[in-house]
């Protein structure tokens, strides 16, 4: 039986807001099937949402933290109760395997709970009695936050912003990506329902909506996750009104495999494969370049291909046996293929990985057979660019210093990983320019919502998760009561 088409609306001032235009979202597994429709909001709609959020901020900022936490916990429970339905919708519109969608919602809930558990402590006023009186250091809400999110992890990358922003007393207008707008909208509806009208608003649409959300003078902070090129436009759009910003951008994460990595450790090898191919490689923090000590390179490649062939089973996201679904959209699939073709044309060897479970379906959807690229050069686009898809180059290095140079030879610096004996790996990790470096694991497998996450260099500004991820939605407000109020050097 055909699934019901989902219709999503914008949310402005606690009400569903009908847009004049709706855009269909196709199912990447069966591109002829429409999963649902999301609105294409206009700049005028966006201004309405911003105005409401701006107005609501005046009262919301005065609400008690206990009240905010109670509301968020109710939303968490409702998301939990609805996880099976939301996960299914996410897999249909996104293409990621069902276990992956459930995992994304699980991480989102974990973070929302962490934010609820910790917000009071993080926002607590610091009061100092000192030799010159008393000083209160308060953490104030910033104002209206515009949250703009990408398609690859639409729910976790939205809740990562919504939870701390609202708990800290801000209001928000959120814009999901048109490439996966449906499941996240269900989550936003649930949260918005638990809060007073106008606290959490949502609009949908394209770059024009994004431009309004990043240039409107009533927006105080931008929380953006997406591509580095888009972030450059955002910084320019925001410049005229000097906004706070958290930018979580692209990555080209290196995995360094040291000479003492045990290539016979099947679990570690599988972990590395997963860190390259989970969500069909469409994760900011996936390992996108693998560098292997030349002394073990040949044996490593052989074992890696063996492990990849075992773990990668490409097919229908709803088949329990499937580990890798289709790519989210045709443009992305074509881009990834162009990088692979370019490497092959320059003499690299392309090795196909894994099993295609259903050839007919494979040809119908935006599927790609995962590949490993051998013999590419450090300067080839497959190594330099963020491929964001199911292919990974493996390159040899001469010694640890060389590996560090190769890893740092990038405009990006999101995460990275080092694989080998623990002490040795930590020694190498210390020299890598990245927001996070994981030892003997990588990508979401090593993610911990209790610790700050974000990039260096052109991978971003600021941090999400951890206490820093809550503080990012506050501004420091010092209330100073000095005993000596007059400066002695200013003449009477
Ligand atoms: P994207 O930059 O194309 O789009 C992200 C969002 O920005 C979308 O909602 C889009 O509609 C909006 N947008 C587009 N133009 C805009 C403009 N001019 N002003 C304001 N908003 C605009 O990114 P994408 O293709 O959706 O996502 C993939 C990228 O996101 C990759 O580079 C990936 O590495 C990155 N990403 C980073 C993280 C992280 O935490 N660092 C996490 C996930 C994805």
């Amino acid at each position: 039986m055909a699934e019901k088409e989902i219709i999503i609306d914008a949310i402005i001032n606690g009400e569903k807001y009908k847009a004049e235009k709706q855009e269909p979202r196709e199912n990447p597994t069966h591109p002829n099937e429409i999963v649902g429709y999301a609105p294409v909001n206009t700049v005028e709609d966006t201004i309405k949402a911003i105005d409401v959020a701006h107005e609501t901020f005046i009262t919301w900022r005065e609400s008690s933290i206990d009240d905010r936490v109670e509301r968020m916990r109710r939303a968490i429970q409702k998301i939990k109760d609805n996880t099976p339905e939301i996960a299914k919708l996410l897999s249909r519109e996104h293409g990621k395997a069902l276990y992956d969608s459930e995992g994304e919602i699980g991480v989102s809930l974990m973070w929302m709970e962490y934010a609820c558990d910790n917000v009071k402590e993080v926002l607590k006023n610091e009061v100092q009695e000192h030799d010159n009186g008393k000083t209160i250091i308060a953490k104030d809400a910033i104002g209206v936050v515009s949250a703009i999110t990408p398609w690859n992890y639409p729910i976790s990358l939205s809740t990562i912003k919504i939870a701390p922003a609202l708990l800290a007393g801000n209001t928000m207008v959120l814009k999901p990506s048109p490439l996966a707008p449906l499941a996240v909208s269900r989550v936003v509806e649930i949260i918005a329902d638990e809060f007073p009208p106008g606290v959490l608003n949502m609009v949908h649409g394209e770059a024009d909506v994004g431009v309004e959300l990043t240039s409107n003078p009533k927006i105080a902070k931008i929380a953006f996750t997406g591509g580095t090129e888009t972030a450059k436009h955002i910084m320019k759009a925001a410049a005229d009104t000097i906004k706070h910003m958290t930018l979580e951008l692209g990555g080209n994460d290196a995995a360094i495999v040291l000479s003492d990595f045990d290539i016979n450790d099947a679990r570690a090898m599988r972990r590395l494969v997963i860190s390259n191919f989970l969500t069909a490689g469409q994760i900011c923090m996936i390992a996108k370049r693998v560098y292997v000590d030349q002394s073990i390179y040949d044996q490593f490649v052989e074992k890696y291909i063996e492990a990849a062939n075992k773990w990668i089973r490409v097919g229908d996201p709803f088949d329990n046996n499937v580990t890798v679904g289709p790519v989210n959209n045709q443009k992305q699939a074509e881009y990834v293929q162009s990088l692979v073709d370019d490497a092959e044309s320059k003499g690299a060897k392309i090795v196909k990985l894994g099993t295609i479970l259903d050839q007919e379906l494979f040809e119908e959807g935006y599927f790609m057979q995962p590949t490993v690229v051998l013999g590419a050069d450090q300067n080839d686009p497959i190594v330099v660019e963020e491929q964001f898809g199911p292919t990974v180059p493996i390159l040899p290095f001469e010694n640890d210093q060389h590996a560090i140079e190769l890893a740092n030879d990038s405009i990006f610096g999101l995460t990275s990983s080092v694989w080998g004996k623990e002490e040795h790996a930590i020694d190498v990790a210390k020299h890598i320019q990245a927001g996070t470096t994981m030892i003997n694991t990588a990508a979401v497998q090593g993610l911990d919502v209790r610790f700050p996450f974000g990039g260096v260099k052109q991978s971003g500004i600021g941090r999400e998760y951890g206490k820093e991820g809550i503080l990012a939605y506050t501004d420091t407000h010092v209330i100073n009561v000095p005993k000596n109020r007059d400066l002695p050097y200013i003449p009477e």
Side-chain angles (χ1 to χ4, degrees), residues 4-6 25-27 33-36 89 92 182:
K4 206 171 123 229
E5 287 174 356
I6 305 287
R25 176 62 203 151
E26 66 195 2
N27 179 342
E33 180 195 309
I34 303 296
V35 183
L89 181 57
R92 287 182 65 221
L182 306 175

Side-chain angles (χ1 to χ4, degrees), residues 148-152 157 175-178 207 210-211 224-227 230 233-234 248-251 284 386 388 414 453:
I148 302 177
T149 55
W151 52 265
N152 65 323
L157 297 171
K175 188 195 96 60
S177 163
V211 169
F224 171 77
T225 303
T230 312
H233 292 293
I234 288 176
E248 294 288 356
L249 312 178
C284 56
E386 180 187 35
F388 220 63
L414 191 56
F453 175 83

